[in-house]
Amino acid sequence: MRRRPVDFRRPVRRRLSNVVWWTLCGIVVLLFIVIFSKESQIESKHSIISKQNSFRNEKVMEGLNVTDEMLSPDSVTRQLSDQISLAKAFVVIAKESNNLQFAWELSAQIRNSQVLLSTAATRRVPLTTRESDTAIRDMALLLFQGQQFHYDSATMIMKLKAKIQALEEQMSSVTEKSSKYGQIAAEEVPKGLYCIGIRLTTEWFRNLSLQQKINERMQMEAKLRDNSLNHFCVFSDNIIATSVVINSTSINSKNPAQLVFHIVTDEINYAAMRAWFGTTQFKGVTVEVQKFEDFKWLNASYVPVLKQLQDAETQSYYFSGHHDDDRTPIKFRNPKYLSMLNHLRFYIPEVFPALNKVVFLDDDVVVQKDLSGLFSIDLNGNVNGAVETCMETFHRYHKYLNYSHPLIREHFDPDACGWAFGMNVFDLVEWRKRNVTSIYHYWQEKNVDRTLWKLGTLPPGLLTFYGLTEPLDPTWHVLGLGYTNVDPHLIQKGAVLHFNGNSKPWLKIGMEKYKPLWEKFVDYSHPLLQQCNFH
């Protein structure tokens, strides 16, 4: 078939080109429409957001009570406010520089400016330049005068730094004095307690029938060795404090007749203790009083503390107070820590050879729950049952011991949990089996130069009973009532409340809010307490 000439194909290509062209135009138009619609949406959104922001700003401005007049750069109200702020700073510096006349003039002008602002706020009309011109000019003159006195920011910073340093030095001095005086106050015996001891001692030696009656009763008392009863021990020279421990325990006991208290005191207070506890009844509680001077085994050849007391250097360190130029805090020099009444807790099996289990109580505790449950606690083969105190970092072993010493570093974990003396359950059978007292002797002799720990009974206790202590429920023993604030819920739940610290409840420095917890177990109507004005 014969092809058509080329001229007849050109119109077809033109028609195709026109179609493509119109298609492209249509696409462009559609894109333009889509873009325009999106821009409209964005503008509407921006409009809504701007309205919302404007509304919020209005609310904020309304809440801050900020007016257009205050935002104006020509606002006399804002100018007055700025002047007042600067003037107040100058008043402080002027007083520090002892320029009292200038400080008084500034204060007077501050009051005048504040009156103007208050008046304008009351009438709800902005201040005019005519009203504030005099106040602004007078304040500006005073501020310029302050600048001539070099009351600039650099001077103020230097003066404040010097003042802070001086205050810190004063605070350090006052804190040190407060610590010393507080320690002295804690060590002193109140006049009332001293009077009670003297009167009871006099009554004991004057009343022979009282001595005979008590002696006869104690000779017949088989309860002292009966392990089916609940035995407690208290080592103290404080008659009233020990009486509160026994009285609070008996009142809160479900069966007071099951309780036996073993009191150990010293020669000085022995007669007074026997007279008081021989004539005072505690709901059927059995009370025994001994003095540690009667223990024949308690001698310098057996007890390291007694042997160390015979050393001249040790006596000078603890009793003269001039051994190391007062570098050691006064609390570590307290001679009471060397008293056998403190260290006797490490010899409980020797003190009570017939007993199998004992609950040790400090004389600064108050009992507010029945303690019979302590005697049924399984110590899981351990010797000491105690409440742990590692809820805080400073109650771990590294707080009490010197970990730069190789003996301490090699044998004890610095993060081991500490525990508290003051309410402890001691299994005396396990104690004797493990010869725990010899462990105490070992560490006490190693510390003759005071390089393992400073002083006290808790550090050697942590060493002696390391790995031999069973944690008890924290509610059995709540500490801190003698030096800090304690959670009221813990106090309410606590079985034994411990006034550890210097602020004992029988002292004037005792914490007033905790004194009632202790005082409710003191019979202030007793004739002897009234005669001695004990309150």
Side-chain angles (χ1 to χ4, degrees):
M1 185 175 179
R2 186 178 178 182
R3 294 184 60 187
R4 293 180 182 179
V6 177
D7 293 341
F8 293 99
R9 292 200 300 268
R10 287 179 182 174
V12 175
R13 281 204 291 268
R14 286 195 188 100
R15 283 196 297 270
L16 288 173
S17 300
N18 290 338
V19 171
V20 171
W21 171 254
W22 284 111
T23 302
L24 290 175
C25 290
I27 293 172
V28 170
V29 171
L30 287 174
L31 286 174
F32 177 77
I33 294 172
V34 170
I35 292 171
F36 180 78
S37 63
K38 286 187 177 180
E39 287 181 353
S40 300
Q41 290 177 1
I42 292 172
E43 287 180 359
S44 63
K45 286 182 180 180
H46 280 306
S47 176
I48 294 172
I49 291 172
S50 62
K51 289 180 180 179
Q52 289 177 348
N53 289 338
S54 175
F55 178 74
R56 288 174 184 170
N57 290 336
E58 289 176 1
K59 285 294 183 181
V60 171
M61 302 291 278
E62 181 181 351
L64 295 176
N65 198 23
V66 177
T67 62
D68 293 336
E69 191 266 342
M70 288 187 68
L71 295 176
S72 170
D74 301 324
S75 169
V76 294
T77 300
R78 189 178 65 177
Q79 191 173 351
L80 269 178
S81 300
D82 292 343
Q83 284 185 332
I84 289 172
S85 299
L86 184 57
K88 286 181 177 179
F90 279 8
V91 167
V92 174
I93 302 173
K95 289 181 178 179
E96 290 293 332
S97 303
N98 205 27
N99 193 348
L100 301 182
Q101 177 63 29
F102 182 62
W104 181 85
E105 292 176 3
L106 273 174
S107 299
Q109 190 56 46
I110 288 172
R111 286 193 295 271
N112 292 337
S113 298
Q114 288 175 334
V115 168
L116 280 176
L117 293 175
S118 176
T119 303
T122 302
R123 72 188 185 190
R124 298 180 181 275
V125 176
L127 280 173
T128 63
T129 305
R130 177 186 296 180
E131 291 175 316
S132 58
D133 182 63
T134 302
I136 291 175
R137 185 178 64 255
D138 292 345
M139 181 69 83
L141 289 173
L142 287 174
L143 294 177
F144 176 77
Q145 186 179 351
Q147 291 176 353
Q148 300 305 306
F149 289 145
H150 302 290
Y151 289 173
D152 52 20
S153 58
T155 304
M156 181 173 65
I157 290 172
M158 293 301 296
K159 286 181 176 290
L160 290 177
K161 282 184 176 180
K163 188 67 175 177
I164 290 171
Q165 184 178 3
L167 289 174
E168 286 178 347
E169 291 175 357
Q170 292 178 15
M171 184 179 68
S172 177
S173 175
V174 170
T175 301
E176 183 180 356
K177 290 179 180 179
S178 174
S179 176
K180 289 183 178 180
Y181 296 150
Q183 189 67 47
I184 292 171
E187 294 172 18
E188 290 182 345
V189 178
K191 292 181 179 179
L193 277 178
Y194 181 77
C195 170
I196 291 170
I198 293 295
R199 288 179 178 269
L200 285 171
T201 302
T202 303
E203 179 65 21
W204 171 261
F205 287 108
R206 186 178 61 184
N207 193 342
L208 297 179
S209 61
L210 175 62
Q211 297 182 35
Q212 183 178 3
K213 178 181 178 182
I214 293 177
N215 287 332
E216 290 176 354
R217 191 183 72 176
M218 296 307 295
Q219 288 175 1
M220 298 173 59
E221 197 59 74
K223 290 184 176 181
L224 299 178
R225 296 173 296 276
D226 189 348
N227 281 293
S228 65
L229 303 178
N230 297 336
H231 293 265
F232 299 85
C233 64
V234 182
F235 305 142
S236 174
D237 57 2
N238 189 320
I239 298 169
I240 300 302
T242 305
S243 181
V244 167
V245 175
I246 299 176
N247 191 30
S248 61
T249 306
S250 63
I251 288 175
N252 290 287
S253 174
K254 296 177 181 178
N255 189 0
Q258 286 287 110
L259 308 182
V260 180
F261 269 87
H262 304 267
I263 302 170
V264 181
T265 188
D266 54 20
E267 182 75 43
I268 298 174
N269 295 280
Y270 178 65
M273 286 277 195
R274 294 204 70 183
W276 177 265
F277 291 106
T279 57
T280 306
Q281 301 298 320
F282 296 97
K283 300 180 66 175
V285 174
T286 302
V287 180
E288 175 196 29
V289 180
Q290 302 179 78
K291 61 179 185 290
F292 69 79
E293 287 87 353
D294 288 340
F295 302 147
K296 303 301 181 183
W297 48 266
L298 200 59
N299 51 65
S301 63
Y302 179 61
V303 179
V305 170
L306 293 177
K307 182 168 56 179
Q308 291 166 12
L309 277 175
Q310 297 176 356
D311 179 64
E313 183 183 352
T314 302
Q315 292 178 1
S316 174
Y317 178 84
Y318 290 118
F319 295 101
S320 70
H322 303 294
H323 183 72
D324 64 348
D325 300 325
D326 291 333
R327 290 193 300 270
T328 304
I330 187 173
K331 67 178 181 178
F332 293 125
R333 294 181 174 278
N334 190 349
K336 77 173 185 177
Y337 289 124
L338 297 175
S339 168
M340 278 314 303
L341 289 177
N342 279 286
H343 287 268
L344 207 59
R345 65 192 67 191
F346 296 104
Y347 300 95
I348 292 177
E350 287 92 334
V351 178
F352 311 112
L355 300 182
N356 296 333
K357 181 174 283 189
V358 165
V359 170
F360 168 79
L361 296 174
D362 268 338
D363 63 359
D364 55 354
V365 305
V366 166
V367 178
Q368 58 178 13
K369 305 282 184 181
D370 178 60
L371 299 184
S372 59
L374 289 172
F375 293 88
S376 59
I377 292 177
D378 184 3
L379 297 182
N380 297 312
N382 289 307
V383 177
N384 173 32
V387 170
E388 292 183 330
T389 57
C390 55
M391 287 74 73
E392 304 286 347
T393 305
F394 57 83
H395 283 140
R396 297 186 183 274
Y397 268 50
H398 63 78
K399 170 65 179 178
Y400 305 100
L401 305 171
N402 177 20
Y403 273 86
S404 64
H405 197 289
L407 267 179
I408 299 296
R409 194 168 56 249
E410 292 170 8
H411 291 85
F412 303 99
D413 178 9
D415 291 323
C417 189
W419 45 268
F421 265 136
M423 196 292 296
N424 304 81
V425 183
F426 290 119
D427 186 335
L428 303 186
V429 176
E430 285 294 326
W431 186 315
R432 297 183 186 101
K433 184 187 301 182
R434 296 172 180 263
N435 200 9
V436 172
T437 303
S438 66
I439 301 176
Y440 163 69
H441 284 172
Y442 172 82
W443 290 111
Q444 192 69 40
E445 289 171 349
K446 291 293 183 182
N447 194 47
V448 66
D449 55 356
R450 298 173 299 280
T451 56
L452 303 186
W453 69 88
K454 285 294 184 182
L455 199 62
T457 53
L458 182 56
L462 295 175
L463 302 183
T464 301
F465 296 101
Y466 185 74
L468 299 174
T469 300
E470 180 71 16
L472 302 181
D473 189 296
T475 58
W476 280 114
H477 188 191
V478 176
L479 298 102
L481 280 76
Y483 72 93
T484 187
N485 293 316
V486 183
D487 187 346
H489 297 292
L490 292 178
I491 294 177
Q492 184 179 4
K493 294 179 180 179
V496 176
L497 306 180
H498 198 167
F499 290 82
N500 58 313
N502 285 337
S503 303
K504 304 300 183 188
W506 57 84
L507 299 175
K508 289 183 179 180
I509 62 173
M511 299 180 72
E512 292 295 330
K513 63 180 178 179
Y514 296 140
K515 277 187 176 183
L517 297 170
W518 185 85
E519 290 177 332
K520 66 181 179 180
F521 297 106
V522 180
D523 182 11
Y524 288 102
S525 65
H526 193 285
L528 182 59
L529 271 63
Q530 291 188 346
Q531 292 169 16
C532 290
N533 195 28
F534 183 82
H535 54 78

